[in-house]
Amino acid sequence: NLKTIVRQFSDIDLHSGDELRSVTKLIFAKAVQEPHYVATYSDMMSSLHSRYPEFPAEEAGDRPVTFVRVLLTIVQTAYEAMPKQLNADSLDLDEGEARDLELMQRRQKIFATMKLIGNLHLRNLLSLKIVQMVLKELLFCNGKLDQAPEEHILECSCELLKTIGFTLDSTESGQKYMLQCVARLTELLKKHRYCPRVSFALQNVLDLRKDGWKQRVYKEGAKKLSEMHREAERTEAGALIEIAGARPKKVAQRDSVNKDSAASETARLKSKLRSA
């Protein structure tokens, strides 16, 4: 139960910035190790960031140590540690099952990191600017458009775009940036020959956007009552139609309330200025 886990973590008595870093690193590591639960861990981080205390700056001129700043540093470290190459030749292992397993585990880890970055953005813990910086380096090769990204880098880009797609497309500035991403993916598909897995990943992002980011999700096993009441359409095949990259409902509602409050405050100030 998410609420129980959040309560247990929030009950941890933290006394320093180092202790805050240790707890945040633990949560981040668990999220990357269990990619199927990335959204749940992201919800937990979203809940914890307002509950954990802020600690004084550790050096003169530094900003206070907060959960979000610590999380940002951890994300940056994990991102910068991503391998530039990821293939069998890049591993110092003999051919066989061990090398194949290591390759698969490394691939899963970096994809989980991308998925986590996207989910943290959806919960307003990472800014759009950070997401665009990541895509600029991965997908657009830092402006060197004559270069083609490595295959695992392309898959990372697709994972991130799929995770935030609908949300990025929902604003005017985000839509403009998404159009650039779509153009880049289309160009890469036409100019380069990728393995079937990578080609499918690129085409899947393009198809998802064309379909309004609707995707079929198959879930088996017993379902809680709350899950049965989710706002999703059930298809003939037993799949759920979900919107890829949509903000969680609670976050979207909170954003809407904040936007309405800001608009009301702006209107009040304009009215006051006119009557002055």
Side-chain angles (χ1 to χ4, degrees):
N1 185 287
L2 180 61
K3 290 184 179 179
T4 301
I5 297 174
V6 169
R7 186 171 64 251
Q8 290 173 343
F9 268 93
S10 60
D11 286 343
I12 297 175
D13 196 10
L14 300 175
H15 300 93
S16 68
D18 284 338
E19 291 182 355
L20 178 60
R21 290 187 189 92
S22 296
V23 172
T24 310
K25 283 180 181 178
L26 173 63
I27 299 171
F28 183 89
K30 289 292 290 179
V32 172
Q33 290 168 8
E34 302 178 28
H36 292 297
Y37 299 101
V38 160
T40 300
Y41 281 109
S42 299
D43 286 336
M44 184 170 78
M45 294 181 203
S46 181
S47 297
L48 288 174
H49 95 276
S50 61
R51 302 188 184 205
Y52 280 155
E54 177 181 295
F55 295 99
E58 295 170 336
E59 294 184 12
D62 285 352
R63 293 187 293 179
V65 181
T66 66
F67 178 81
V68 172
R69 290 190 185 120
V70 168
L71 178 61
L72 178 58
T73 300
I74 294 172
V75 169
Q76 182 178 353
T77 301
Y79 171 71
E80 291 176 350
M82 283 174 48
K84 302 302 180 185
Q85 292 187 332
L86 187 62
N87 51 50
D89 295 334
S90 65
L91 301 180
D92 189 20
L93 293 171
D94 295 331
E95 289 187 25
E97 292 184 4
R99 188 172 71 171
D100 293 341
L101 179 62
E102 177 67 19
L103 191 62
M104 182 185 70
Q105 289 176 340
R106 291 193 187 188
R107 183 179 286 114
Q108 288 178 342
K109 184 177 180 180
I110 61 174
F111 294 166
T113 300
M114 288 296 106
K115 191 174 180 180
L116 182 56
I117 287 174
N119 273 276
L120 292 176
H121 169 65
L122 295 181
R123 289 153 182 81
N124 297 319
L125 294 177
L126 291 181
S127 68
L128 177 59
K129 183 179 179 180
I130 291 174
V131 171
Q132 289 177 328
M133 286 173 61
V134 171
L135 286 170
K136 179 183 177 182
E137 181 173 357
L138 298 183
L139 183 58
F140 295 96
C141 301
N142 279 325
K144 300 176 182 177
L145 300 183
D146 56 320
Q147 297 182 4
E150 294 285 334
E151 289 194 341
H152 73 287
I153 296 296
L154 266 180
E155 288 183 279
C156 285
S157 302
C158 290
E159 188 67 49
L160 181 54
L161 285 170
K162 189 170 64 173
T163 304
I164 65 171
F166 179 82
T167 297
L168 185 59
D169 242 346
S170 63
T171 65
E172 185 177 351
S173 60
Q175 193 173 72
K176 289 180 180 178
Y177 192 77
M178 178 60 76
L179 286 172
Q180 295 177 35
C181 294
V182 167
R184 175 67 167 164
L185 293 177
T186 303
E187 177 191 33
L188 291 171
L189 266 177
K190 288 180 178 179
K191 287 186 175 181
H192 303 279
R193 184 180 297 275
Y194 297 107
C195 73
R197 186 189 67 251
V198 176
S199 295
F200 175 81
L202 270 67
Q203 190 61 54
N204 184 44
V205 173
L206 297 175
D207 291 343
L208 275 174
R209 186 176 191 268
K210 185 178 179 181
D211 294 337
W213 298 103
K214 294 179 181 179
Q215 64 177 350
R216 292 189 178 191
V217 180
Y218 295 87
K219 294 191 177 182
E220 299 178 353
K223 295 180 177 61
K224 297 179 182 179
L225 182 61
S226 59
E227 292 176 318
M228 296 174 67
H229 287 290
R230 294 170 60 189
E231 291 185 359
E233 305 170 29
R234 188 170 296 281
T235 68
E236 320 79 45
L240 295 175
I241 299 298
E242 293 186 341
I243 303 299
R247 291 194 190 278
K249 186 183 296 184
K250 288 184 178 180
V251 178
Q253 289 173 342
R254 187 168 64 241
D255 287 351
S256 178
V257 170
N258 292 339
K259 186 177 180 180
D260 290 343
S261 298
S264 297
E265 180 64 15
T266 300
R268 188 187 68 81
L269 289 173
K270 286 183 178 179
S271 177
K272 186 176 180 181
L273 287 172
R274 283 196 296 267
S275 61

